[in-house]
Amino acid sequence: MASKDPPVCQIFSFQDSKTSPDPIFELPAHCLTPAASPIVIDNGSFQTRAGWASSASGLDSPQLLFRSVAARSRGAARSETQIGNDIPNLEPLRWLLKSQFDRNVVVNFEIQELILDYVFTHLGLSSEGCVEHPILMTEAPCNPLHCRQMMSELLFECYRVPFVSYGVDGLYSFYHNNNQRNLQPPHSGIILSSGYHCSHILPVIHGRFDAVNCKRVNVAGSQAASYLQRLLQLKYPGHLAAITLSRMEELLHEHSYTAVDYHEELEKWRCPEFYEREVHRMQLPFSGKVPGGSVSVEERQERRAQQLRRLQEINSRRREEKLQQDQERLDRLLAVQELLEDGLLDQFHKSLMELNMDSAEELQSYINKLQLAVEQGRLKLLQSDGADGKMEVSELEQHMEEGDGVGQMDSDFPEDPLSEKSASVVQPAFNMAEYHQLFVGTERLRCPEILFQPSLIGEDQMGLMETLQYVLARYTPEQQEAMVSNVFLTGGNMQYPGMKERVERELLALRPFQSHFKVTMATRPSLDAWYGARDWALEHPAAAGAEGWISRQDYEEKGGEYLSEHCASNVFVPLKIAKPVPARPTEPPLASQTPTGASAAVATVTSAPSSSTDAVDITMVAS
């Protein structure tokens, strides 16, 4: 019977990649003439991507890619703030990191201004007081009007840009991939976009975003990373400091996958052979010098000899101390005995009481015992001094192996814990490298699964596919057929292996029997939003009154929340504030009293509302 080969262990190391500061690029000449080229900024909650809307070689990809974080100590100057790639390692400064986002909405505009300063400086803009290039920036689906107003105010008032355009990152990615697939506009479909803080279901009908029926799920990449960190810290409490959030993000990006059938995949992990084959052992850094590690025979013998020499020195020192104490006690007892011989009975009896003795016979008995102990101690001390020069290391090792070497060296001390412990030290075989390994097994699929089952992390909301079913149910069957024929997956949190197959399997269970659907993954899920925004900017040049662009005049006339709609933008819903009609103050009736004995005219004033204006009738009554 042939023996099976043992499964090969998959051992990986954390890359712990450190970023290097971004260079400051020179402003390309063709970005100024004949017209200023737009700057495209994909303002993501995880990463910011910025570059020029130009088809020239070298500028057809984002020039800046950095984390959307800033680190500044409290009270530090603005110039001391570190942005994005200026921070080589995020973990030491994790407690200082700040972002402009709350979930996926920009709320901290002080940090946003620092991010924009960083972008404009590194793109080579050196103009004083203004940015002369149009800005195309992404925003969240259904972005609050106040947030757009603050962003427009920052761009138009602080940077004095000529034009601004806003769009949704998922829609730009949808637009870019449809153009690559040569689909004829207007496009219909449904977008599943998952980023760092949120996931969205974005329906598109006839080339326009249906903002009324879009939905958000508050589960995405950051929740998956936190869940993975919590799982591994509970599993390996001895490596809490080594299980950092940056390493968990690396595990998600490089080692996780989405199970097509979650429960069936978990059953596979019960098999020991499957576990050994599929588990990823992540090697943590450690020091190779371990006390009691693998040492040679010569080193082990030298260590034993050193231990025995130390024990001999300790025992010899203890003998000398004990001999000195016995000699001092013997001299004191002999001094008390001399008092008896000199006839000083009162002092003798007083000294006996201090020594807690009853008679001279008891004193003599103690003196005899101490004299014997002092003589034996001196003899043993001389013998041990002579034996130290003659005894060889090999004899000491032999005594140590037999277990009676320590007892022969010192028989006066019945128990010597130090010597017994040192003599019986046996260093166990310990694999230090394996101790510093994280076995990542079912965690590889449990963390991406929270996108479909948020209840795994205690979130009381629907999963991505349940939300998709809810959104589809709001349309007619014809519209549903048009949308499911173009289900589009985009966003950095959609890059797990098996994600497309899982969505197809879930759709097969949701849709009616024998209905057709098609699922497409973005070519570059995390970058296609920038490329789509660049394509749109090249096809729609910035100009006054152009579709999708907000000019400075529009900003001043229509307000900061104004949005010029286009195929990849949000829907502009102006905020209508009902102005209440001020209430007319009630006028007290005018009554004039006539003096007694005289005739007077009494004026009665009445007000009667009419259909058009308020009519006031004044009737004069004379008496």
Side-chain angles (χ1 to χ4, degrees), residues 385-614:
D385 291 341
D388 287 345
K390 297 179 181 179
M391 187 175 296
E392 298 293 334
V393 175
S394 59
E395 296 178 1
L396 294 176
E397 291 178 356
Q398 181 179 1
H399 289 306
M400 189 172 184
E401 292 172 358
E402 293 174 357
D404 56 356
V406 179
Q408 290 180 359
M409 281 190 292
D410 190 5
S411 60
D412 295 337
F413 305 102
E415 291 185 2
D416 191 352
L418 180 63
S419 60
E420 291 179 2
K421 181 178 179 181
S422 301
S424 61
V425 167
V426 177
Q427 296 294 343
F430 186 71
N431 190 343
M432 202 66 179
E434 187 172 345
Y435 174 74
H436 285 84
Q437 287 178 2
L438 306 180
F439 286 61
V440 185
T442 56
E443 295 84 2
R444 295 176 56 201
L445 65 146
R446 289 172 65 187
C447 295
E449 185 64 22
I450 67 171
L451 199 59
F452 302 94
Q453 300 184 55
S455 59
L456 293 175
I457 57 174
E459 290 287 342
D460 186 16
Q461 55 184 318
M462 293 189 295
L464 195 65
M465 301 309 296
E466 291 177 87
T467 310
L468 174 63
Q469 183 181 16
Y470 175 80
V471 171
L472 288 174
R474 303 173 71 90
Y475 293 96
T476 63
E478 293 76 14
Q479 291 175 326
Q480 292 183 26
E481 288 292 335
M483 286 192 292
V484 297
S485 63
N486 191 5
V487 179
F488 181 68
L489 311 180
T490 186
N493 199 43
M494 284 289 183
Q495 299 183 86
Y496 301 114
M499 178 63 72
K500 180 182 176 182
E501 291 77 10
R502 174 63 178 272
V503 173
E504 289 175 343
R505 182 181 182 277
E506 296 282 349
L507 271 176
L508 185 63
L510 294 179
R511 298 297 298 154
F513 180 63
Q514 290 185 344
S515 62
H516 299 282
F517 58 85
K518 185 177 182 181
V519 180
T520 307
M521 176 71 73
T523 309
R524 291 157 294 193
S526 59
L527 292 176
D528 276 354
W530 187 91
Y531 284 102
R534 183 206 61 177
D535 294 346
W536 184 90
L538 290 176
E539 295 177 7
H540 301 79
E547 180 188 12
W549 290 101
I550 307 169
S551 64
R552 183 171 184 83
Q553 183 179 359
D554 294 333
Y555 165 74
E556 292 173 350
E557 293 178 357
K558 303 175 182 178
E561 68 274 6
Y562 173 68
L563 173 67
S564 179
E565 296 182 11
H566 56 92
C567 63
S569 71
N570 278 308
V571 177
F572 177 55
V573 182
L575 184 62
K576 297 180 180 179
I577 301 177
K579 295 183 180 180
V581 179
R584 182 181 298 276
T586 58
E587 298 179 359
L590 298 177
S592 57
Q593 295 179 354
T594 59
T596 306
S599 62
V602 179
T604 304
V605 181
T606 60
S607 299
S610 62
S611 58
S612 58
T613 59
D614 294 340

Side-chain angles (χ1 to χ4, degrees), residues 7-14 236 251 255 272 275-284 431 433-434 436-441 444:
V8 179
C9 298
Q10 301 186 70
I11 301 178
F12 303 88
S13 298
F14 285 106
Y236 298 99
L251 276 179
H255 301 276
Y275 179 86
E276 290 295 331
R277 185 175 65 253
E278 296 296 332
V279 68
H280 285 194
R281 305 186 183 194
M282 305 304 300
Q283 184 66 62
L284 296 173
N431 190 343
E434 187 172 345
H436 285 84
Q437 287 178 2
L438 306 180
F439 286 61
V440 185
R444 295 176 56 201

Side-chain angles (χ1 to χ4, degrees), residues 56-128:
S57 60
L59 299 178
D60 54 351
S61 60
Q63 291 185 283
L64 297 176
L65 292 95
F66 57 90
R67 286 290 296 269
S68 301
V69 290
R72 180 172 60 179
S73 302
R74 181 176 296 178
R78 182 187 178 97
S79 59
E80 297 177 3
T81 305
Q82 294 177 290
I83 305 291
N85 291 336
D86 289 344
I87 309 172
N89 187 6
L90 296 179
E91 293 308 322
L93 301 178
R94 177 71 67 178
W95 61 285
L96 286 176
L97 296 182
K98 296 179 181 178
S99 174
Q100 69 268 41
F101 287 92
D102 180 8
R103 294 189 185 270
N104 64 327
V105 177
V106 178
V107 294
N108 192 339
F109 286 90
E110 180 183 0
I111 301 299
Q112 182 64 63
E113 184 179 352
L114 293 174
I115 297 288
L116 291 176
D117 286 345
Y118 183 88
V119 169
F120 296 146
T121 301
H122 285 77
L123 286 180
L125 299 179
S126 58
S127 55
E128 290 289 337

